[in-house]
């Protein structure tokens, strides 16, 4: 199992940052390759814990579908999802806290693998995962800060 963490300060209100993480259309802006998110069954936006969903993500020249589930939700402080396929799963936690300048986002991902090959590949490409994570968090920051300017 591999863990990745990332902390970033965002000059936007916590509710704005939460909305950028939570909104499926806004996710497409900051999550590179995300094509679509759709829910399997009823989606209750007030209490989504346990909700199953699928995400289509473009990876290279192909679109891959992943199964997901909302595993924690406490608006506007925490969103956590588990996403994966038969080879691996990732539990991603987005924890938000207020700062004098706006919001601090503490991101943590726990990656589990199904087999030795996937573990080796995860280890070898850990640097790529960190680079993608940095790029996504920077895009999320830019989106939230531009959204905050619109609402001021």
């Amino acid at each position: 199992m591999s863990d990745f963490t990332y902390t970033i300060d965002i000059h936007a209100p916590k509710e704005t940052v939460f909305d950028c993480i939570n909104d499926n259309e806004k996710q497409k802006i900051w999550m590179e390759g995300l094509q679509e998110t759709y829910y399997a069954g009823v989606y209750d936006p007030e209490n989504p814990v346990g909700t199953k969903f699928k995400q289509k993500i473009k990876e290279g020249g192909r679109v891959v579908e992943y199964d997901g589930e909302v595993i924690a939700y406490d608006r506007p402080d925490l969103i956590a999802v588990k996403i994966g396929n038969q080879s691996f799963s990732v539990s991603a936690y987005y924890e938000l806290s207020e700062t004098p300048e706006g919001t601090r986002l503490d991101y943590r991902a726990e990656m589990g693998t199904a087999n030795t090959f996937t573990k080796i590949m995860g280890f070898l490409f850990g640097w790529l995962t960190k680079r993608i994570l940095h790029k996504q968090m920077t895009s999320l920051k830019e989106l939230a800060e531009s959204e905050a300017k619109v609402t001021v």
Side-chain angles (χ1 to χ4, degrees):
M1 171 134 8
S2 300
D3 285 0
F4 296 96
T5 59
Y6 195 91
T7 299
I8 192 167
D9 288 313
I10 302 172
H11 300 288
K14 188 163 63 164
E15 189 68 43
T16 300
V17 178
F18 188 92
D19 184 52
C20 290
I21 297 167
N22 192 46
D23 184 287
N24 291 335
E25 291 305 309
K26 291 178 182 174
Q27 288 173 5
K28 291 178 189 177
I29 297 169
W30 62 271
M31 290 181 81
E32 187 174 329
L34 179 62
Q35 304 289 301
E36 180 183 5
T37 300
Y38 58 96
Y39 296 96
V42 178
Y43 172 67
D44 177 0
E46 299 302 313
N47 186 21
V49 173
T51 300
K52 307 270 191 219
F53 62 90
K54 292 189 181 281
Q55 284 189 326
K56 291 184 177 181
I57 301 172
K58 188 171 187 177
E59 297 177 349
R62 62 191 179 109
V63 175
V64 180
E65 187 172 84
Y66 294 97
D67 295 315
E69 179 180 354
V70 179
I71 57 175
Y73 188 91
D74 183 16
R75 183 177 201 99
D77 301 311
L78 171 69
I79 296 175
V81 297
K82 184 174 186 175
I83 189 164
N85 59 24
Q86 62 273 27
S87 298
F88 76 96
S89 67
V90 175
S91 296
Y93 299 83
Y94 300 85
E95 296 183 61
L96 295 94
S97 53
E98 287 186 34
T99 66
E101 298 81 30
T103 305
R104 175 186 169 139
L105 169 60
D106 290 301
Y107 172 87
R108 178 175 41 103
E110 300 166 352
M111 185 171 171
T113 56
N115 58 49
T116 304
F117 175 74
T118 311
K119 284 181 186 173
I120 292 168
M121 294 308 288
F123 175 77
L124 292 175
F125 289 99
W127 62 271
L128 180 61
T129 302
K130 289 176 186 174
R131 195 177 89 194
I132 292 168
L133 177 59
H134 174 74
K135 188 174 181 181
Q136 286 186 344
M137 292 296 111
T138 301
S139 293
L140 173 58
K141 175 183 171 71
E142 290 169 0
L143 175 63
E145 290 175 354
S146 70
E147 293 270 320
K149 288 179 185 170
V150 171
T151 58
V152 171

